[in-house]
Amino acid sequence: MAKVNKRLAVLVGCNYPNTQYELHGCINDVVAMKDVLVKRFGFNPTNIELLTDASAATGEGSSSVVLPTGENIKAALSKMVNQAEAGDVLYFHYSGHGTRIPKPAHLFGHDEAILPCDFNLITDVDFRQLVNQLPKGASFTILSDSCHSGGLIDKEKEQIGPSTYRAASSLSYKAKNIPFESILEHLTTLTGINTSDIGTHLLESFGANASLKFLTPQLESELFDFLKADEGILLSGCQADETSADMNPMESGGKAYGAFSNAVQMVLKENSGRLSNKEVVIMARKVLEAQGFDQHPCLYCIDENADATFLYQPEAEPY
């Protein structure tokens, strides 16, 4: 009997309820994407793990609810990667806040990270390690609808990069960004340690569950010593220096959503045939521009995967 390749997904939506950083559309984004994965891309619902902080809004969480903490998200991703075999299709969709971490003074630039509900940052170094662990012949697509998500797989090749075009937006939305200084202030409150070194706070708060970037700093350079062509594919909601929008039209009876997640779903709904990763990003850019958003989705992957079919869509009935 011929082996059937697996399709595995981890979907994370963080709304940060009852906090000053609350968003509204992130859980809707991943719930909607789960439906698309099943109906269009042939994912078995039992192979899709959904992590949201919906229960935190009511305070009625149960032992069966898996909150999107840093530890839980990394455990779900590691489990998915460890299950993968040649030919398998892996997908991670994140909708929530992102941030940029300043590099040490002697280095230039920033590192990108996503913010789980407990502020235990997951960095571009963590995603690089996951991609490096993929077995040959498996693919891992990441769609991050968060601020500063460009470059979230560290050192992945840029296919569709920053745009110099800036539109003046009159839309009312909340940016999916928590500034580094605010994260540092929050963690300082938790640890009581007087230092501006975020790694110290994360290690004190989360121990061995902190990002690899802070656990073993030397690992970052080691990961890139053996860098080779890989099957990591990143569709980012915006450039590394931009914010992504969270829309909350509920006052007028609409449904809250993340602008990039919604744009991708519109593109998929309007195009029932197979689309390449490059086509999905270009079309999503056009949707966002037409809607008046000033954010530019990007694509990072090796050359061959830019033209590969998004999620390797199987032959199926139109969605």
Side-chain angles (χ1 to χ4, degrees):
M1 187 174 183
K3 174 183 172 291
V4 178
N5 294 329
K6 299 187 294 294
R7 292 176 166 264
L8 309 169
V10 174
L11 313 178
V12 174
C14 291
N15 276 344
Y16 317 89
N18 307 318
T19 73
Q20 62 179 309
Y21 308 112
E22 184 167 9
L23 299 172
H24 295 90
C26 301
I27 294 174
N28 291 341
D29 291 340
V30 293
V31 169
M33 195 63 193
K34 180 178 180 180
D35 192 54
V36 174
L37 293 178
V38 172
K39 291 181 178 178
R40 175 166 179 157
F41 293 101
F43 282 70
N44 187 320
T46 60
N47 288 334
I48 300 175
E49 186 163 0
L50 183 67
L51 289 79
T52 76
D53 53 5
S55 62
T58 60
E60 298 176 354
S62 70
S63 58
S64 62
V65 174
V66 181
L67 286 171
T69 63
E71 180 180 359
N72 289 341
I73 294 171
K74 287 190 287 189
L77 291 172
S78 293
K79 178 184 174 184
M80 179 170 69
V81 169
N82 290 337
Q83 285 181 321
E85 302 171 280
D88 289 350
V89 176
L90 280 58
Y91 180 65
F92 174 53
H93 190 125
Y94 172 76
S95 184
H97 280 303
T99 195
R100 301 179 88 188
I101 307 165
K103 288 183 182 288
H106 65 286
L107 297 173
F108 174 76
H110 296 78
D111 288 304
E112 291 73 40
I114 61 172
L115 272 101
C117 66
D118 62 348
F119 278 56
N120 185 6
L121 301 180
I122 302 177
T123 70
D124 47 6
V125 175
D126 298 304
F127 288 109
R128 164 49 60 196
Q129 192 204 37
L130 285 165
V131 168
N132 284 4
Q133 291 174 340
L134 276 180
K136 188 174 182 180
S139 69
F140 187 8
T141 301
I142 297 172
L143 189 153
S144 191
D145 189 353
S146 56
C147 291
H148 311 302
S149 46
L152 199 55
I153 304 176
D154 209 358
K155 301 296 188 290
E156 194 64 61
K157 184 174 181 180
E158 182 182 278
Q159 298 289 342
I160 300 175
S163 168
T164 55
Y165 174 73
R166 287 288 186 276
S169 177
S170 60
L171 293 172
S172 175
Y173 62 85
K174 186 164 185 177
K176 300 167 92 166
N177 165 60
I178 301 180
F180 173 78
E181 295 75 15
S182 299
I183 298 168
L184 190 60
E185 182 180 339
H186 174 79
L187 292 172
T188 301
T189 302
L190 294 179
T191 65
I193 300 173
N194 183 22
T195 177
S196 60
D197 177 39
I198 196 168
T200 299
H201 294 294
L202 290 167
L203 292 169
E204 176 67 21
S205 299
F206 304 108
N209 292 313
S211 168
L212 286 169
K213 178 174 181 59
F214 309 108
L215 270 176
T216 50
Q218 75 278 6
L219 179 66
E220 185 169 358
S221 59
E222 292 172 6
L223 283 171
F224 306 135
D225 285 345
F226 305 101
L227 212 52
K228 59 186 186 303
D230 61 67
E231 296 301 319
I233 302 166
L234 171 65
L235 291 78
S236 67
C238 62
Q239 300 168 188
D241 62 347
E242 289 182 332
T243 60
S244 291
D246 180 67
M247 298 299 293
N248 183 21
M250 290 191 289
E251 292 178 2
S252 57
K255 196 172 186 179
Y257 60 87
F260 180 51
S261 294
N262 182 65
V264 169
Q265 289 172 32
M266 285 179 63
V267 166
L268 294 174
K269 195 163 189 175
E270 293 167 7
N271 299 273
S272 59
R274 294 178 174 184
L275 295 172
S276 69
N277 292 304
K278 185 185 292 184
E279 287 172 326
V280 170
V281 171
I282 290 172
M283 290 180 181
R285 272 195 178 195
K286 290 178 180 176
V287 169
L288 290 168
E289 184 180 344
Q291 292 175 337
F293 290 101
D294 184 22
Q295 65 185 80
H296 302 87
C298 299
L299 175 65
Y300 299 82
C301 60
I302 60 173
D303 294 342
E304 302 93 282
N305 284 340
D307 294 314
T309 304
F310 178 64
L311 291 182
Y312 296 91
Q313 180 179 339
E315 293 284 359
E317 292 297 316
Y319 159 67

